[in-house]
Amino acid sequence: MTATVTIRESRPNETGDILALYPQAFPDEELRPAVSALIEGDADVLSLIACDGDTLVAHVLFTFCDVQGDARKDARKDALLAPLGVIPAFQKQGVGTAIVRAALDRLKMSDIGRVFVLGDPNYYGRFGFQPERQVLAPYDIPAEWADAWQSLELSANMPTSAGRLALPDPWMDPALWTA
């Protein structure tokens, strides 16, 4: 990672810059409606950005969620890591790794017990993510993606649960889970 990149929480006036990043990072996917709804709406999220000087070069979003049907009094909050975007000029330089690690460090200090992600097992495995078999994605994902649905325990002393991940409305589009 370049020495000039700083990581911090995003601010409300930076939504436009965040949304401009995603077509560069994912030219074949349209993530802006979900990202916009999550960071501008009522959803409980952690939104971090990485900047090189005044230029936004990466963004990661964690949406706080629950496991559907978990009625235990000690039920914990979980989070979904999605999306993570880095502009092409800063990819493969450690910026994505640094912003995810910074976010995970923040989540470890909160009451978040587990983080879920649907992504490349080789990439997310470096953080300790493992294939998830107890908690299902909000929609059935293709069988060939089974190992891409992963989780990371942040608090070993919290009980785990089984069920289906319950997320805010912006994530409840089946196309986001099967495209």
Side-chain angles (χ1 to χ4, degrees):
M1 185 172 84
T2 63
T4 60
V5 173
T6 58
I7 297 171
R8 63 172 172 77
E9 286 193 42
S10 65
R11 300 176 184 131
N13 65 339
E14 295 171 319
T15 301
D17 292 334
I18 291 169
L19 296 178
L21 172 143
Y22 281 98
Q24 296 175 64
F26 298 102
D28 298 329
E29 294 182 54
E30 180 53 89
L31 298 171
R32 291 175 297 178
V35 171
S36 178
L38 289 161
I39 61 178
E40 292 182 333
D42 295 333
D44 194 8
V45 300
L46 172 61
S47 173
L48 295 186
I49 61 170
C51 296
D52 181 37
D54 292 333
T55 304
L56 190 144
V57 299
H59 176 251
V60 68
L61 188 66
F62 288 79
T63 305
F64 302 121
C65 53
D66 299 297
V67 175
Q68 201 170 28
D70 190 353
R72 296 172 301 164
K73 289 182 183 177
D74 62 350
R76 62 189 183 173
K77 284 297 234 184
D78 295 315
L80 174 71
L81 186 172
L84 164 63
V86 180
I87 64 172
F90 281 79
Q91 291 176 0
K92 300 186 189 298
Q93 295 182 32
V95 175
T97 298
I99 197 170
V100 170
R101 287 198 193 285
L104 291 174
D105 287 345
R106 288 176 189 232
L107 294 174
K108 285 177 186 174
M109 294 185 302
S110 70
D111 65 345
I112 300 300
R114 182 170 34 182
V115 176
F116 298 91
V117 68
L118 179 60
D120 180 357
N122 292 322
Y123 183 81
Y124 289 102
R126 71 180 72 180
F127 304 105
F129 282 88
Q130 298 286 322
E132 174 60 48
R133 302 294 187 242
Q134 287 187 285
V135 176
L136 303 173
Y139 291 94
D140 292 336
I141 57 175
E144 61 269 19
W145 293 5
D147 287 344
W149 179 240
Q150 303 160 79
S151 68
L152 172 65
E153 289 288 334
L154 295 182
S155 179
N157 63 349
M158 289 185 154
T160 59
S161 55
R164 190 170 290 274
L165 200 63
L167 290 163
D169 285 342
W171 284 122
M172 301 313 293
D173 177 355
L176 294 171
W177 299 93
T178 59

